[in-house]
């Protein structure tokens, strides 16, 4: 299933969240993560610019490519089970290595670990969202009862 424009924009938005959640100590890794996105990718910053109140970050093009690869592998999964995250990470790492995305990372020492961390964070976000979508919503009994109690004494 191809990623359409709206889904790509949300992938871009989620990649910004992943960028914000990274805790790095290496100066080369910090410098790489702090890079601004390419002008070709900058068109997709509309959601971030609309929702930004000072805390949102725009990811660089390498992070966007990683998150798009993880998104494609998440969409290719037939069922979500306990091993889904491992399959997503393995499939995405294979894609990254075959397409030489890992060469865009400047820090040679930490590039593999950084790629794994980015993929893991994005996959956790998406799989959590997909599993909450699968669970049917139940009526909150407490809310129903509180409404009955409040309105029954009128």
């Amino acid at each position: 299933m191809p990623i359409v424009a709206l889904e790509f924009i949300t992938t871009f938005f989620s990649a910004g969240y992943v960028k914000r959640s990274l805790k790095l100590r290496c100066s080369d890794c910090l410098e790489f993560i702090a890079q601004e996105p390419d002008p070709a990718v900058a068109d997709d910053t509309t959601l971030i610019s609309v929702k930004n109140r000072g805390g949102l970050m725009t990811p660089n093009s390498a992070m966007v490519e990683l998150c798009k690869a993880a998104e494609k592998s998440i969409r290719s999964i037939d069922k979500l089970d306990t091993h889904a995250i491992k399959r997503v990470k393995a499939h995405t790492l294979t894609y990254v290595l075959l397409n030489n995305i890992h060469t865009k990372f400047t820090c040679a020492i930490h590039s593999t670990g950084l790629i794994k961390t980015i993929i893991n964070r994005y996959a956790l976000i998406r799989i959590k969202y997909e599993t909450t979508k699968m669970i049917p919503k139940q009526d909150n009994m407490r809310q129903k009862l509180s409404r009955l109690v409040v309105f029954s004494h009128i």
Side-chain angles (χ1 to χ4, degrees), residues 1 3 65-78 83-101 115-116 119-120 122-123 127:
M1 192 166 24
I3 299 176
E65 285 186 49
L66 282 177
C67 291
K68 281 184 359 185
E71 182 71 27
K72 287 178 185 176
S73 64
I74 288 170
R75 290 179 181 275
S76 68
I77 291 178
D78 296 334
H83 302 292
I85 192 112
K86 291 178 184 176
R87 289 194 310 255
V88 167
K89 289 192 317 191
H91 185 267
T92 307
L93 278 174
T94 305
Y95 177 83
V96 165
L97 293 175
L98 290 176
N99 292 322
N100 289 330
I101 297 174
I115 289 170
K116 286 181 181 180
I119 292 170
N120 191 30
Y122 185 81
I127 288 176

Side-chain angles (χ1 to χ4, degrees), residues 13-23 33 57 63 67 117-123 125:
F13 184 78
S14 299
Y17 175 76
V18 170
K19 177 181 177 178
R20 183 175 175 82
S21 68
L22 292 175
K23 308 283 189 241
I33 293 297
M57 302 182 105
M63 286 188 67
C67 291
T117 304
I118 291 169
I119 292 170
N120 191 30
R121 296 263 170 93
Y122 185 81
I125 292 168

Side-chain angles (χ1 to χ4, degrees), residues 7 10 16 19 26 39-40 44 49 58 60 78 83 86 90 92 107-108 110 113 116 119 130 134 141 146:
E7 292 163 348
T10 56
K19 177 181 177 178
C26 175
D44 300 313
S49 61
T58 55
N60 56 21
D78 296 334
H83 302 292
K86 291 178 184 176
T92 307
C107 182
H110 302 116
K116 286 181 181 180
I119 292 170
E130 291 297 326
M134 290 171 42
M141 185 59 78
S146 68

